[in-house]
Amino acid sequence: MRLKDRVALVTGASSGIGEAIAARFAAEGAHVCVNYRPGSPPDEAAAKRAVEGFGTRGIAVEADVSRREDVERMVAETVAAFGRIDIAVNNAGIEIKRPFLEQTDEEWHRVLDVNLYGAMVVSQAAAREMVKQGTGGKLIFVSSVHEDIPFPGYTSYCASKGAIRMMMRNLAMELAPHRINVNDIAPGAIATPINRYVLEDPEAMKNAVSEIPWGRFGRPEEVAGVAVFLASDDAEYVTGSTYYVDGGLTQQVTLY
Ligand code: NDP
């Protein structure tokens, strides 16, 4: 077990990649806070079901990552339940498709509030605890290949993920003296609810897959495996890096 008795918090963990990371962390011996978005009975039920399935201890905590008071309560509840926090995974994320010329302020702020501000405030609240504990820790961001490659129609999403990359690199430097490792995972196309519009459309799916050298979408568990590495002692000397989990997508250059 690579995370035995570590305490981890995973945001947006009631579905997709976050759910897979939380389950895999528990399988590796960690105690896990499974965060879910408020106001969604299915999310709440999924988070509670996930926790019941863990062989380790777990808690399901409702919190909107874009609200500081929610995030601080969530970190406090994690520490109250398990006595500490060692790992925080900033996974919660949303995307809104909108041509730039039609972009509204409201949509822009919503995407940036959840994806970027949320990741900042969770990292800050968790890192403050880690510094108090004095035994280091791990911050992991689930960014995207779109921290680097453009995605027309998704400017707010790309801006949020590009900013996460720079925040991650900055925090890696600022928090190194506290032995807090800070890294990004940049998934490519992973089969999760965020991509349901492609997964349910055979023609769109064929086009998407044709852009992926590995020839298929990734599975959430394949992202979780990299998260386990970054959360474990094996990543002791790894900080400030982006790990692509994209079946070669970012290497694909179509000339003709
Ligand atoms: P999902 O939509 O399944 O997961 C996102 C999770 O974040 C959901 O559980 C969602 O809840 C939750 N969430 C949204 N807003 C908030 C909030 N304000 N507070 C707390 N939780 C919130 O998609 P994925 O698993 O694919 O996405 C996980 C991460 O991976 C995201 O950051 C995404 O950008 C990133 N990613 C995904 C890729 C993919 O191809 N799947 C590719 C690259 C990056 P709810 O469903 O109720 O809104």
Side-chain angles (χ1 to χ4, degrees):
M1 288 205 184
R2 296 168 76 184
L3 304 178
K4 189 155 174 39
D5 293 334
R6 301 287 160 80
V7 176
L9 183 162
V10 184
T11 67
S14 55
S15 74
I17 292 170
E19 183 182 11
I21 291 175
R24 183 69 199 281
F25 278 11
E28 295 288 347
H31 306 302
V32 188
C33 167
V34 175
N35 161 244
Y36 62 94
R37 189 174 61 89
S40 167
D43 282 5
E44 181 174 359
K48 290 187 171 156
R49 244 192 341 267
V51 165
E52 279 164 22
F54 294 169
T56 54
R57 283 183 298 153
I59 53 171
V61 177
E62 181 181 83
D64 180 337
V65 296
S66 69
R67 289 196 219 131
R68 178 176 281 278
E69 63 275 18
D70 280 24
V71 168
E72 289 181 347
R73 175 184 43 78
M74 173 169 64
V75 170
E77 282 183 32
T78 304
V79 174
F82 306 123
R84 54 186 296 109
I85 181 164
D86 303 299
I87 303 155
V89 181
N90 287 288
N91 166 78
I94 57 172
E95 62 181 30
I96 298 176
K97 183 175 186 181
R98 187 71 62 209
F100 179 64
L101 298 178
E102 295 162 20
Q103 175 84 65
T104 66
D105 285 356
E106 195 194 0
E107 287 173 347
W108 174 269
H109 287 303
R110 188 67 201 140
V111 172
L112 273 288
D113 282 355
V114 174
N115 295 8
L116 181 60
Y117 176 76
M120 183 283 289
V121 80
V122 168
S123 299
Q124 191 184 48
R128 284 176 174 161
E129 283 298 327
M130 292 169 186
V131 169
K132 255 196 274 172
Q133 291 162 194
T135 48
K138 314 280 184 196
L139 296 181
I140 300 167
F141 296 96
V142 179
S143 164
S144 167
V145 292
H146 299 298
E147 70 168 36
D148 194 41
I149 60 174
F151 193 11
Y154 292 86
T155 298
S156 57
Y157 183 77
C158 294
S160 72
K161 297 296 186 177
I164 281 177
R165 176 165 181 267
M166 278 313 299
M167 178 164 71
M168 176 278 290
R169 293 168 66 196
N170 250 56
L171 299 191
M173 295 190 70
E174 282 199 40
L175 299 176
H178 300 287
R179 291 295 177 261
I180 298 173
N181 306 72
V182 191
N183 292 289
D184 258 8
I185 299 174
I190 310 296
T192 72
I194 214 172
N195 285 324
R196 73 172 72 75
Y197 66 97
V198 182
L199 296 166
E200 289 167 1
D201 176 344
E203 196 55 31
M205 193 62 187
K206 203 170 130 208
N207 290 339
V209 167
S210 73
E211 297 291 328
I212 306 170
W214 212 253
R216 64 166 172 82
F217 269 46
R219 295 184 284 270
E221 295 72 23
E222 291 169 318
V223 182
V226 177
V228 168
F229 162 67
L230 290 173
S232 75
D233 290 343
D234 288 337
E236 165 67 19
Y237 199 56
V238 179
T239 201
S241 293
T242 290
Y243 281 71
Y244 289 95
V245 184
D246 70 349
L249 178 65
T250 41
Q251 308 307 316
Q252 176 86 321
V253 180
T254 308
L255 289 178
Y256 303 102

